[in-house]
Amino acid sequence: MALSGIQIYKMLPQTNCKDCGFPTCLAFAMKLAAKQVELSSCPHVAEDAKAQLSEASEPPVRLVSLKANGHEVKAGNEVVMFRHEKTFYNKPGLFLRVKDSQPAGEIQAAIAEADGYCVNYVGRDLTLDGFAVEAVSGDAAVFAAAIAAVRQASHRPLILISTDPAMIAAGLRAVDGENPLIYGANTGNWQAMADLAKQHHASLAVIAESLDELADLTEKVKEAGVKDIVLDPAARNLSRSLALNTQIRRLALKKNFRPLGYPLISFPGEGGDPAQESVMAVHAITKYAGFIVLDHFAAETAYPLLVLRENIYTDPQKPIQVQPDVYEINTPGPDDPVLVTTNFSITYFSVANEIEGSGIPAWLVVTDAEGMSVLTAWAAGKFDAERIAKTIKSFNIADKVNRKRIVIPGHVAVLSGELEEELPDWEIRVGPREAIDLPSFIKQVL
Amino acid sequence: MAEHIITFDNDTPPVTAQTGTLLSEVIQGAAMTLNQPCGGQGRCGRCAVRVTGGTVRSRSTLRLSAEDVAAGYVLACQAVVESDAAISIPPQEKIERLLTTDLVSAEVEVPAGYDPRKAQNVRRVTLTLPPPTMDDQTDDWNRLLTALRQQADFGTVQASLEQIQGLGGVLREGDWQVTATLDAERWDCPGCPARLIDLKPGHTASEMPLWGIAVDIGTTTVTLWLVDLLTGKVMAQVAEYNGQIARGEDVISRVIYAGKNNGAAELRDLVLTTINTLLDTACKRVQAQPADVVKVVISGNSVMMHLLLNIRADSIRLSPFVTAINDIPTLAGREVGLNTHPAATVDCLPGVASYVGADITAGVLSSGLIDTEAVTLFIDMGTNGETVLGNRDWLVTCACSAGPAFEGGGVLDGMRATKGAIEEVWINGTTFEPTFRVIGGVKPRGLCGSALIALLAEMSLTGVMDKGGHINTHRDHPRIRTGEHGPEYVVAWANETAHNRDIVITNVDIDNLIRAKAAIYAGFSVLAERVGVPLETAEQVLIGGSFGKYINVEKAVEIGLLPDMPWENFHFLGNTSVRGAYLALLDREARARIQASAARMTYIELSADNTFYDAFTSALFLPHTDLSRFPSVQAAIVS
Amino acid sequence: MAVEIPKDSWAGSVRVVTLGATPADGGTRSHTIMIGGQNTLPFMHFEKPTPHRPVIAVEIKDRRPEDWSGLLLDIWGDAANDPAAWAKQAEVAGADMLVLALTLTAADGNPTTPSMAVEAVKAVLAASKLPLIVLGPGQADADNELLVPVAEATKGERLALGLCEDKNYRTIVAAAMANDHCVVARTPMDVNLAKQLNILIHDMGLPLDRIVMDPTTGALGYGIEYGYSVMERLRLAALQGDAMTQLPMMVTPGFEAWKTKESKFGQDVPGTWGNWEERAINWETLTAMTLVESGADVVVLRHPESVRRVHQAITDLMTVPETV
């Protein structure tokens, strides 16, 4: 149970000694409550309080990490059901599956294409996270060869798929020194799988059709010495998967139910209809999957899924920013006005919506104000003449328009003088304070 | 249907009325006038009458206290006749006092047991020096020191060159009789020698006041109290808009302005002019001279303090938001630029951080928050919207930019709460006609904070505007019109006003006011949430602010400025900052206590995440988007 | 080990809004569509049944939308030239209902007149018996001028009229009240603003079961996470008993997705974006499905293939699993 700042404060010495680096004990307590500081920063806390406080900070969903050749994929450590409550922390790893029945050349080509895939989204390079290799041949040597083929084309972490311990043992030998995920353990093979996982420092997925069985299995596997466990509740359609993933997350978070306090794995391609794989993947991304294994790779599907994953795992507590850029609204031409605002999303949307709704074409220049609104950014020195001038210059606005004239928000009318100095050949106009007045301003004043 | 006889306690003859007749109709039928500014909707409480005999059935006793009800008071517009009854109609002033929700700020009382000889560090002593002789060629300065030691117990004393230059003249002019004023214990230097402030020829009569001033430099309003340090009495209270307003309405604009060219010097001059003018005005009221003022205590937010002293303030605005100095050493009147005695002791009270200045630490002292066991919410309804939550064990505080709207700033016809300001307004729910009360009973010139709060509440309740604050221009009424600033409501027609112009409230004003109230409400609600103390658990709410002499708590709750709590939990303290300065002016211990509270205060940065923004948009509605936070308002809307 | 399934039990539920009126109720629709009614989070069948499935509305225009992506104009072909033909095509494509979005200007560049708007709406009503939502061009004055005569000319059809916004809702709400229609209340991605507009509309006297809210969502890659969370929060508030959020939600993933570069353009885009048509359909479908997961009751789409995929996914989501 999370403690409030005041509750923690009452367990602290209350001397305001500042030894922790914060001005008061309450300030420190609130940082602790927000999990932004370690309890050990306070040298004076009593032992019993220490015990109480550290128990409250144990993560309800265990962090599981797959590693290979310097790559790492993490899942777990989640603390909320809904992203707005805090944030979702560890983006689900996206894996592509190949089978050892495919010819080595085909495997290598498929892996190479997917491994090299890198798409830029708002300045970030997005890629897949790893690969899953499934043993369907029934031949350990073939499986090992397939893994070797994968390793020819990619260094990313692997998931080894088979319920036969012999296959997995061969696979693990092929990736010695890595920390892959074994998929997986069931009621029949768990003992052997657990031994393998322990021996090779691998994580282990457990598979069961019901939550009762799943919880039994994780307890057994844990007893056998495996800590890094991943859950597959074996649901392959949307409705059932949604229900089970939700129940597992709830049990972990709200009931602190340790047997199901592990990340989930999802196989969207096993639903039958290939066109629905991406739809199933949407559900896996939004509803709690920690690892997602796809059966098809195509840029036109990977790109939207990678973007969705970025979006859902954006920290909602941070101001939402739009990309600094020149936004063309209602297809402007060289004679249309140039408007300037900040990159706080609400600010951007309210300005863009007003202009868009009015039908007036305009160039909307969004400056990087670290996601703050006009007034806040100005107050914090993030929206000043220098920054605006830099933006105007860096986006080469002068090349897009005939008339060098910009409109700044009315709230920062004071900047007009300085802007004239920074942009000597530009005309600076002060627009209205509120976005709603922009259309009439443009019509009547410009 | 039964007829009843209703009698009155004045000359009006008895009348008859049927069961179920409204008492207000009976009274009007008896040809008496009854004030019903709200149009008989039971909202304004102005039609309270006392039933001294018989019974009436009261539909609503909203706005009457339990004692009033026990004493037989009812609202005439909400009470129906059920039997013969005797009615007593109180004079209008009495009704005004009856209104339980109008909280008038407490009068200034001299702290009990104030003894200047114990509490005061500035002392005035009369001395008689033995004239020098051929046998006693002691120098003038040592002669004075000896007298100070023997007659007034001052061990060592410091003086300035200027004072020594004038020393010989003063001693001889007074024929070796002089009056000295000394600062015995500089607050920041307890072991240091006493400092000579003033030396005058002759003996000043002991009953002559010894003048000090307490000053609160608000972003919008500067307040100055002139105090006789011997009695502790406040002899004059004056206030005026801060002259810096012309250079920016909020602290951020001022800091930015100060950073440019000659901005800092200009801002310093502007606020000094405001203070010196106020000093002049206050002194004239009591026939004193500014130069007679020997002690000054100044309170104000950190930016105001920096700007007064021309200390660089840029770092306050920029991350990580640090001040140049929180706790300023003792200064002298001349170096600060005050027209007081040049050597007057000037004490600038200590602040905590960039956005929690001396105004708040002083407020924490003067509001009593520092001493109370009860979890208390202290709201300063100033431009910076500071809030403190806590008790004598812990204190958290935050600030949010509320703007000057409640002090009348940024509102077209806004003004300070002085003579000629409309301070209370009711709107009739049927006719949409307003009734108002003006400070000083003269023709109005504008609207002060309390009237603005009332207008928001009344316009919303009567449907002149919607809960989002948009004036309903679909309603056909001469007072609802579109002016050059967009939709507006006419509070007073030109022929009723002092300046022969209409007094209006515009949609822009309303937006500013709603933003201000939303910022304040969001500030304290997020503060409470952040420390994990539900707002409802606050046992009392102390309100400070310089927007008027009183606040109508009911209306402030109706617009969602104050939390919905029992009215008796609220205490309106007026300007708590200047009160704190006043306490520090009287008692050197008070300052030490302010410092101690400053060390305990935890500042919460509201902009650290989205919760403040969310709480703010949620509060941008009347009373609030989440009506369940305002159950009493919800009940009023339903009825 | 017997795991006890944690079930949420909520105090509140979403109101049911009925769109369209059959001849029995004074309209001409072949059937009505009911949306809302949930008292669980989306598709939590193990708690309570989901009373009404989310519906797909297909957006059509009163005249050919030249600013739409070429992919859309190609797929609808000539039908896009005529709202009646388009309505029929949309019905064939699997629409549960229709959205007719009026254009600001007529083909000759002059403003669309009230009579043109009424004519288009009547043509659509005659061509398809599906329930209908009519949206104005999105400018306050034009919306009011066109929607009032439309509301009057279709009295009793129980259309949904939109979009009501906080600065312009009175006229549309009054027209809906007088002519037995519903309204769509749109607010820009904020829980509080959504709730505030519902209160303002309800304060005018329109019953809550005639209001559908559009909280605005943004497209995949363009702020969808914000819209997604706003919808989750609105739905949670509704279930917790907040009456002013207990309204079904209509969202416009078609509009949102098809204004992005990713959907609109096939040339001068990075090679890593892949095949244009499949990417565009993915963009619309994924945007729509993300919103369905967060509680959308009506999704307004543009491409027939997106309609097919979203329809199938909703059917899957509505299937009650046997063992959980």
Side-chain angles (χ1 to χ4, degrees):
Chain A
M1 199 51 217
L3 297 173
S4 74
I6 288 288
Q7 286 168 320
I8 295 175
Y9 167 76
K10 289 182 178 157
M11 295 186 217
L12 295 177
Q14 305 179 21
T15 51
N16 298 332
C17 71
K18 299 185 172 60
D19 287 353
C20 59
F22 293 93
T24 62
C25 290
L26 184 54
F28 178 67
M30 292 179 62
K31 284 278 171 191
L32 263 183
K35 299 194 159 67
Q36 289 165 340
V37 65
E38 297 286 325
L39 179 62
S40 55
S41 303
C42 174
H44 310 294
V45 64
E47 282 306 317
D48 55 332
K50 212 180 265 179
Q52 263 181 292
L53 288 170
S54 45
E55 190 178 338
S57 60
E58 184 116 327
V61 178
R62 186 176 169 82
L63 184 74
V64 171
S65 165
L66 312 188
K67 290 181 203 149
N69 312 304
H71 293 277
E72 184 175 15
V73 192
K74 289 188 285 188
N77 252 5
E78 302 298 340
V79 294
V80 292
M81 296 295 297
F82 305 100
R83 56 185 293 283
H84 69 259
E85 294 173 315
K86 180 119 184 128
T87 186
F88 289 173
Y89 287 102
N90 289 304
K91 293 173 199 163
L94 280 175
F95 290 72
L96 178 67
R97 168 156 59 183
V98 291
K99 298 181 177 171
D100 68 353
S101 54
Q102 293 168 266
E106 193 183 309
I107 290 178
Q108 269 192 34
I111 299 285
E113 187 196 5
D115 187 78
Y117 182 74
C118 178
V119 63
N120 189 279
Y121 167 67
V122 294
R124 277 170 277 176
D125 286 329
L126 309 181
T127 63
L128 298 194
D129 301 284
F131 297 92
V133 192
E134 181 168 358
V136 293
S137 64
D139 182 334
V142 172
F143 186 47
I147 290 170
V150 170
R151 271 287 164 260
Q152 291 286 311
S154 170
H155 297 295
R156 298 178 194 274
L158 298 186
I159 300 173
L160 307 181
I161 303 181
S162 173
T163 48
D164 179 352
M167 293 293 147
I168 293 297
L172 285 170
R173 279 193 299 276
V175 291
D176 197 31
E178 300 182 12
N179 306 105
L181 171 65
I182 300 168
Y183 180 96
N186 55 31
T187 44
N189 68 8
W190 66 268
Q191 184 71 59
M193 289 295 196
D195 291 344
L196 284 169
K198 222 170 89 181
Q199 192 184 339
H200 291 271
H201 305 289
S203 304
L204 180 58
V206 298
I207 313 155
E209 294 273 345
S210 76
L211 296 188
D212 297 358
E213 281 178 297
L214 204 56
D216 281 336
L217 265 180
T218 61
E219 288 295 270
K220 287 179 188 160
V221 166
K222 189 180 167 193
E223 207 141 295
V226 179
K227 288 186 183 141
D228 294 323
I229 299 171
V230 172
L231 308 175
D232 181 8
R236 293 297 180 264
N237 71 59
L238 276 173
S239 163
R240 186 174 156 81
S241 175
L242 177 61
L244 288 169
N245 287 9
T246 304
Q247 290 168 1
I248 290 170
R249 182 79 153 239
R250 270 189 203 164
L251 283 161
L253 263 46
K254 296 189 173 170
K255 308 284 176 196
N256 211 8
F257 185 66
R258 298 285 177 190
L260 295 179
Y262 301 99
L264 291 157
I265 188 166
S266 185
F267 295 85
E270 293 185 358
D273 181 353
Q276 295 301 103
E277 183 177 20
S278 59
V279 169
M280 184 78 185
V282 167
H283 150 72
I285 289 169
T286 56
K287 293 297 174 188
Y288 317 136
F291 300 97
I292 298 170
V293 180
L294 300 169
D295 283 316
H296 303 88
F297 172 80
E300 58 271 16
T301 312
Y303 175 38
L305 287 177
L306 287 165
V307 169
L308 179 65
R309 188 178 69 164
E310 290 297 300
N311 291 166
I312 295 295
Y313 278 74
T314 298
D315 183 353
Q317 302 302 328
K318 293 213 178 101
I320 294 137
Q321 307 187 11
V322 291
Q323 182 84 341
D325 204 345
V326 185
Y327 289 83
E328 300 178 10
I329 300 188
N330 299 324
T331 6
D335 294 316
D336 291 316
V338 180
L339 315 174
V340 176
T341 192
T342 73
N343 67 331
F344 178 41
S345 67
I346 309 281
T347 303
Y348 165 78
F349 283 122
S350 54
V351 173
N353 283 347
E354 289 298 339
I355 307 291
E356 212 162 73
S358 71
I360 299 170
W363 305 89
L364 180 56
V365 178
V366 172
T367 45
D368 181 2
E370 296 178 17
M372 295 182 210
S373 66
V374 169
L375 266 181
T376 319
W378 169 74
K382 309 291 184 195
F383 189 57
D384 53 19
E386 203 180 319
R387 280 191 185 229
I388 295 172
K390 215 176 119 198
T391 311
I392 296 287
K393 287 175 191 160
S394 67
F395 289 130
N396 301 319
I397 317 287
D399 303 341
K400 300 184 198 292
V401 292
N402 293 332
R403 183 166 178 186
K404 290 188 171 182
R405 180 180 67 184
I406 59 169
V407 180
I408 60 172
H411 279 297
V412 289
V414 291
L415 295 180
S416 52
E418 281 172 64
L419 258 175
E420 278 165 11
E421 287 168 28
E422 295 273 349
L423 295 168
D425 42 354
W426 286 76
E427 182 189 345
I428 312 297
R429 296 292 290 268
V430 177
R433 287 179 167 218
E434 302 297 333
I436 183 142
D437 301 321
L438 260 173
S440 62
F441 172 84
I442 296 172
K443 278 183 212 154
Q444 289 158 16
V445 185
L446 289 187
Chain B
M1 197 169 280
E3 289 230 329
H4 310 288
I5 296 165
I6 313 296
T7 56
F8 301 100
D9 68 338
N10 52 24
D11 305 338
T12 313
V15 294
T16 58
Q18 289 188 334
T19 304
T21 313
L22 273 179
L23 213 45
S24 54
E25 288 168 16
V26 175
I27 293 167
Q28 276 156 348
M32 277 182 286
T33 46
L34 187 70
N35 275 334
Q36 283 188 280
C38 75
Q41 299 183 335
R43 291 191 288 111
C44 71
R46 301 276 143 169
C47 64
V49 298
R50 194 164 161 225
V51 180
T52 52
T55 57
V56 298
R57 182 165 57 85
S58 235
R59 291 173 183 159
S60 163
T61 54
L62 199 70
R63 310 231 34 176
L64 293 174
S65 69
E67 298 91 75
D68 295 335
V69 175
Y73 280 97
V74 298
L75 298 179
C77 71
Q78 297 295 319
V80 291
V81 174
E82 288 197 320
S83 73
D84 293 353
I87 305 296
S88 164
I89 298 174
Q92 184 66 32
E93 312 86 79
K94 196 163 176 197
I95 295 174
E96 304 251 330
R97 280 201 304 278
L98 262 177
L99 295 179
T100 54
T101 56
D102 287 356
L103 294 186
V104 178
S105 68
E107 288 298 308
V108 185
E109 276 177 29
V110 179
Y114 174 62
D115 179 353
R117 283 167 308 176
K118 287 182 188 149
Q120 197 48 259
N121 56 321
V122 172
R123 285 173 58 198
R124 186 177 68 199
V125 293
T126 53
L127 304 168
T128 303
L129 281 62
T133 63
M134 287 302 282
D135 292 333
D136 175 11
Q137 290 180 328
T138 307
D139 62 297
D140 290 350
W141 174 240
N142 263 304
R143 191 169 301 277
L144 178 66
L145 288 181
T146 306
L148 280 168
R149 187 177 68 244
Q150 290 175 343
Q151 298 169 38
D153 223 16
F154 284 103
T156 49
V157 173
Q158 266 183 346
S160 67
L161 173 62
E162 200 177 349
Q163 286 166 331
I164 291 168
Q165 286 166 337
L167 179 64
V170 172
L171 293 180
R172 286 167 183 83
E173 190 186 330
D175 198 15
W176 306 99
Q177 300 215 326
V178 291
T179 304
T181 306
L182 297 101
D183 184 344
E185 182 190 305
R186 286 160 50 192
W187 64 261
D188 57 338
C189 183
C192 289
R195 189 173 62 89
L196 185 64
I197 295 172
D198 183 51
L199 192 68
K200 278 197 166 51
H203 281 178
T204 303
S206 64
E207 67 275 14
M208 286 295 284
L210 178 63
W211 294 113
I213 54 173
V215 184
D216 165 46
I217 308 177
T219 313
T220 304
T221 308
V222 178
T223 307
L224 182 147
W225 289 3
L226 182 62
V227 180
D228 178 358
L229 300 177
L230 298 180
T231 61
K233 280 190 184 146
V234 179
M235 305 305 286
Q237 297 185 17
V238 287
E240 187 48 80
Y241 279 142
N242 186 332
Q244 296 173 337
I245 288 181
R247 301 292 174 265
E249 284 179 354
D250 55 277
V251 290
I252 300 294
S253 327
R254 307 254 177 101
V255 172
I256 291 173
Y257 191 85
K260 287 182 200 159
N261 304 327
N262 207 28
E266 187 188 343
L267 289 179
R268 174 172 185 259
D269 288 347
L270 285 169
V271 72
L272 278 174
T273 305
T274 305
I275 298 173
N276 284 328
T277 308
L278 285 171
L279 177 62
D280 225 39
T281 313
C283 286
K284 280 198 180 111
R285 287 207 195 148
V286 295
Q287 270 105 41
Q289 297 298 320
D292 296 340
V293 172
V294 293
K295 185 177 179 186
V296 181
V297 175
I298 299 178
S299 176
N301 64 56
S302 303
V303 170
M304 291 301 110
M305 215 63 108
H306 280 60
L307 295 180
L308 169 72
L309 303 175
N310 199 353
I311 300 170
R312 274 186 73 129
D314 323 22
S315 59
I316 293 183
R317 159 174 96 99
L318 301 172
S319 176
F321 315 111
V322 292
T323 56
I325 182 167
N326 284 337
D327 204 347
I328 297 158
T330 310
L331 304 170
R334 181 177 16 214
E335 58 185 332
V336 176
L338 298 172
N339 292 347
T340 57
H341 193 291
T345 295
V346 178
D347 175 9
C348 298
L349 293 177
V352 177
S354 280
Y355 292 106
V356 187
D359 51 343
I360 293 308
T361 54
V364 166
L365 173 80
S366 70
S367 65
L369 179 49
I370 198 169
D371 299 313
T372 180
E373 232 175 290
V375 174
T376 300
L377 182 65
F378 166 55
I379 307 168
D380 181 48
M381 297 216 184
T383 316
N384 306 307
E386 293 102 338
T387 299
V388 184
L389 178 67
N391 59 13
R392 65 183 187 201
D393 297 324
W394 57 272
L395 295 167
V396 288
T397 177
C398 69
C400 55
S401 187
F406 287 120
E407 290 169 68
V411 172
L412 189 64
D413 282 322
M415 64 181 287
R416 289 196 316 104
T418 54
K419 195 168 165 185
I422 294 177
E423 60 169 352
E424 179 65 294
V425 186
W426 301 266
I427 296 175
N428 184 304
T430 318
T431 65
F432 304 113
E433 289 294 318
T435 312
F436 50 77
R437 189 172 72 212
V438 183
I439 299 178
V442 295
K443 280 188 164 186
R445 288 189 294 118
L447 303 157
C448 74
S450 51
L452 294 168
I453 291 172
L455 269 171
L456 281 195
E458 293 285 297
M459 289 171 76
S460 167
L461 272 180
T462 54
V464 170
M465 66 183 181
D466 67 22
K467 289 174 186 148
H470 315 298
I471 293 178
N472 184 0
T473 48
H474 288 64
R475 209 182 278 290
D476 185 22
H477 193 277
R479 287 185 186 269
I480 300 169
R481 66 186 189 191
T482 299
E484 61 176 301
H485 302 277
E488 61 189 26
Y489 173 79
V490 182
V491 183
W493 295 111
N495 61 14
E496 303 169 298
T497 66
H499 46 38
N500 296 318
R501 282 185 286 110
D502 292 346
I503 292 174
V504 300
I505 182 161
T506 69
N507 233 137
V508 178
D509 299 338
I510 291 167
D511 284 350
N512 283 337
L513 287 160
I514 292 182
R515 268 200 281 268
K517 79 98 185 168
I520 291 171
Y521 185 87
F524 62 70
S525 52
V526 171
L527 183 69
E529 197 179 299
R530 204 66 74 76
V531 289
V533 174
L535 213 47
E536 315 79 82
T537 58
E539 292 164 65
Q540 53 173 351
V541 180
L542 309 179
I543 305 157
S546 50
F547 54 84
K549 288 192 174 51
Y550 87 109
I551 183 168
N552 182 319
V553 169
E554 183 191 10
K555 284 180 176 162
V557 172
E558 266 169 17
I559 67 166
L561 170 62
L562 294 177
D564 199 347
M565 290 182 178
W567 294 332
E568 58 269 22
N569 290 12
F570 292 98
H571 306 279
F572 179 52
L573 306 174
N575 185 330
T576 48
S577 174
V578 76
R579 254 171 215 272
Y582 164 70
L583 293 176
L585 183 68
L586 294 191
D587 188 349
R588 54 192 176 198
E589 290 302 314
R591 192 185 202 282
R593 302 184 62 218
I594 289 177
Q595 245 170 329
S597 80
R600 281 216 313 271
M601 224 180 264
T602 302
Y603 177 65
I604 311 278
E605 177 57 54
L606 292 180
S607 63
D609 60 34
N610 287 344
T611 47
F612 176 75
Y613 184 80
D614 218 47
F616 176 66
T617 39
S618 188
L620 283 177
F621 207 61
L622 297 170
H624 194 275
T625 309
D626 183 2
L627 200 53
S628 66
R629 287 165 175 254
F630 290 85
S632 80
V633 184
Q634 194 167 19
I637 291 171
V638 170
S639 75
Chain C
M1 139 179 9
V3 177
E4 191 189 339
I5 304 295
K7 293 186 183 180
D8 283 338
S9 172
W10 300 99
S13 59
V14 180
R15 280 168 191 277
V16 175
V17 171
T18 304
L19 298 170
T22 59
D25 295 314
T28 62
R29 306 297 84 202
S30 61
H31 63 285
T32 63
I33 283 183
M34 292 201 277
I35 51 173
Q38 304 89 328
N39 57 357
T40 67
L41 287 166
F43 315 108
M44 295 290 114
H45 305 294
F46 63 94
E47 291 171 349
K48 293 276 173 57
T50 303
H52 303 291
R53 64 179 277 155
V55 298
I56 296 171
V58 170
E59 179 181 357
I60 61 174
K61 303 281 290 182
D62 52 347
R63 70 179 178 85
R64 188 178 178 82
E66 296 297 349
D67 57 334
W68 279 25
S69 169
L71 287 175
L72 290 169
L73 294 176
D74 286 351
I75 194 98
W76 292 111
D78 288 343
N81 298 330
D82 169 27
W86 199 346
K88 283 185 184 147
Q89 283 268 15
E91 198 172 337
V92 171
D96 297 312
M97 60 185 299
L98 300 172
V99 168
L100 174 63
L102 299 170
T103 314
L104 187 62
T105 54
D108 60 6
N110 289 318
T112 303
T113 63
S115 63
M116 291 159 77
V118 168
E119 196 184 324
V121 172
K122 286 193 151 174
V124 169
L125 287 172
S128 166
K129 296 295 162 191
L130 296 179
L132 177 67
I133 296 169
V134 179
L135 303 181
Q139 279 179 35
D141 292 342
D143 283 2
N144 294 343
E145 194 184 320
L146 301 183
L147 289 174
V148 172
V150 165
E152 287 164 355
T154 57
K155 184 174 170 76
E157 290 283 12
R158 208 169 166 98
L159 310 181
L161 303 173
L163 296 161
C164 297
E165 297 184 297
D166 70 332
K167 299 238 165 49
N168 184 52
Y169 63 92
R170 290 179 181 278
T171 305
I172 300 171
V173 172
M177 281 204 298
N179 299 289
D180 309 321
H181 298 304
C182 303
V183 299
V184 182
R186 170 174 259 196
T187 44
M189 287 208 251
D190 185 286
V191 174
N192 292 305
L193 296 181
K195 196 175 155 186
Q196 288 166 9
L197 183 55
N198 297 339
I199 296 172
L200 295 177
I201 291 174
H202 181 58
D203 275 359
M204 279 186 71
L206 187 69
L208 287 172
D209 63 6
R210 280 162 66 188
I211 307 172
V212 179
M213 57 179 170
D214 173 359
T216 322
T217 61
L220 177 61
Y222 296 82
I224 195 173
E225 67 276 26
Y226 204 49
Y228 176 83
S229 284
V230 165
M231 289 171 69
E232 283 196 329
R233 290 178 59 190
L234 281 169
R235 187 48 51 87
L236 283 166
L239 296 176
Q240 281 155 3
D242 179 349
M244 291 301 162
T245 56
Q246 292 172 337
L247 307 175
M249 294 186 274
M250 174 186 112
V251 292
T252 54
F255 163 77
E256 298 288 353
W258 285 99
K259 73 179 177 188
T260 67
K261 293 194 282 292
E262 281 82 352
S263 296
K264 208 165 177 179
F265 302 113
Q267 287 182 333
D268 300 326
V269 299
T272 47
W273 285 12
N275 175 277
W276 178 27
E277 183 165 19
E278 181 61 21
R279 174 180 77 238
I281 291 166
N282 268 330
W283 220 265
E284 185 176 27
T285 304
L286 267 56
T287 301
M289 284 317 298
T290 306
L291 303 177
V292 167
E293 294 256 11
S294 61
D297 296 282
V298 181
V299 287
V300 184
L301 300 176
R302 287 186 174 175
H303 196 287
E305 175 60 16
S306 309
V307 172
R308 189 189 72 78
R309 293 185 190 177
V310 173
H311 186 90
Q312 189 189 325
I314 291 174
T315 303
D316 288 351
L317 282 166
M318 285 299 292
T319 310
V320 180
E322 280 166 27
T323 54
V324 293

